[in-house]
Amino acid sequence: MVLTRVRRVALALIALVALASAGAWRAASRPPVARAEAPAGLFATSARYVLRWDRAGTAPAPGGPPGAFVVTSNLGFEVRVERGFVVDTSASLVDCLGPGGDVWRPAGERAASWVARGLLGVAHAGHSQAADPSSLARATLTDLTTADGDRVAGETRFPEARYCHVHLVIAGGAAPSPYTATLPTVDTTRTSLYVRGAFRRAGGELRPLELRSASADALLVDLPSVVEGPLTGRAAVVVLERRLATMFDDVALDALDAPGASAAAAKAVLRNLDRRARVRVTTH
């Protein structure tokens, strides 16, 4: 009985060794897998985030308050904007360590990264759960009717790293300010977009317009495609320029009385401002 068990164990070990040998032979006979190249990215140690309005295609609103403007949408709506704002909640660069991104790193650096992920619980899906050191987590309210010029949301400094994307988020969270004090019915801690004015079809009567949204929207942009300057520049200036002329495109303003239509229209305007924005990055 004992010999039979020993024989069975021995046979099982022999089988395992044979399978392992066969697997090793097959692996050796395959052509070698090409080592992945390091992803293109920007080496940076600081980032300044700048917000800007593109007013091309707008016109001053006759008799309106300072900064009020008029645009015409692609659906033929003439829209007069007298008050409004957008709240940018955060901005950051995103490192190049996407899924499988470790393959181009030196073995020692990969091992250190794995240990850090194990100890800190870092997610490896394009960016970490922890905020990247380049992140600017500060809500910035930008007036739609403000004078032309740049609004510097903030600047961060951090250890040098390779970055492949820019991540920008609109989600509300602005603190009270002298500007928002003039809008007592608008909760800026929850509102990501607010627009007040009027609209009409060409030649029609003006109808009052008030849109507000608590929705969030995010923009993820490939860095190498928008960098104007060397990728080895250590100081990055990220400029987000939003187009006002197209903010009401594809929005059916004459249907706002339907249930839920106003919230949907506000969300569409927010998406237009975000998704049609131009991002430029200069380095030095």
Side-chain angles (χ1 to χ4, degrees), residues 6-34:
V6 171
R7 183 177 297 174
R8 287 177 180 171
V9 172
L11 291 173
L13 289 173
I14 292 170
L16 286 173
V17 170
L19 286 173
S21 299
W25 180 85
R26 284 196 298 270
S29 64
R30 293 196 200 100
V33 178

Side-chain angles (χ1 to χ4, degrees), residues 38-49 91-98 104 126-128 130-136 156-167 220-227 230-236 238 281 283:
L42 169 69
F43 284 99
T45 58
S46 70
R48 172 179 291 191
Y49 301 98
S92 70
L93 304 181
V94 181
D95 65 40
C96 295
L97 299 185
W104 57 267
H127 57 281
S128 66
D132 189 273
S134 69
S135 295
L136 180 70
T156 58
R157 298 182 183 276
F158 41 87
E160 182 178 289
R162 184 199 298 265
Y163 291 98
C164 283
H165 296 87
V166 181
H167 190 228
L220 186 67
V221 179
D222 180 63
L223 249 180
S225 67
V226 297
V227 170
L231 291 175
T232 54
R234 298 302 192 262
V238 180
V281 180
T283 63

Side-chain angles (χ1 to χ4, degrees), residues 237-255:
V237 179
V238 180
V239 178
L240 174 64
E241 187 175 55
R242 294 193 173 103
R243 298 187 62 196
L244 295 176
T246 58
M247 62 186 289
F248 296 102
D249 280 4
D250 301 317
V251 181
L253 295 174
D254 55 354

Side-chain angles (χ1 to χ4, degrees), residues 98-163:
D102 272 348
V103 297
W104 57 267
R105 305 176 77 186
E109 192 176 343
R110 289 203 306 272
S113 175
W114 296 336
V115 171
R117 292 202 302 274
L119 294 176
L120 302 177
V122 175
H124 206 218
H127 57 281
S128 66
Q129 290 175 334
D132 189 273
S134 69
S135 295
L136 180 70
R138 178 191 305 164
T140 303
L141 184 148
T142 309
D143 182 0
L144 286 168
T145 60
T146 191
D148 292 337
D150 294 344
R151 174 76 183 273
V152 178
E155 185 171 355
T156 58
R157 298 182 183 276
F158 41 87
E160 182 178 289
R162 184 199 298 265
Y163 291 98

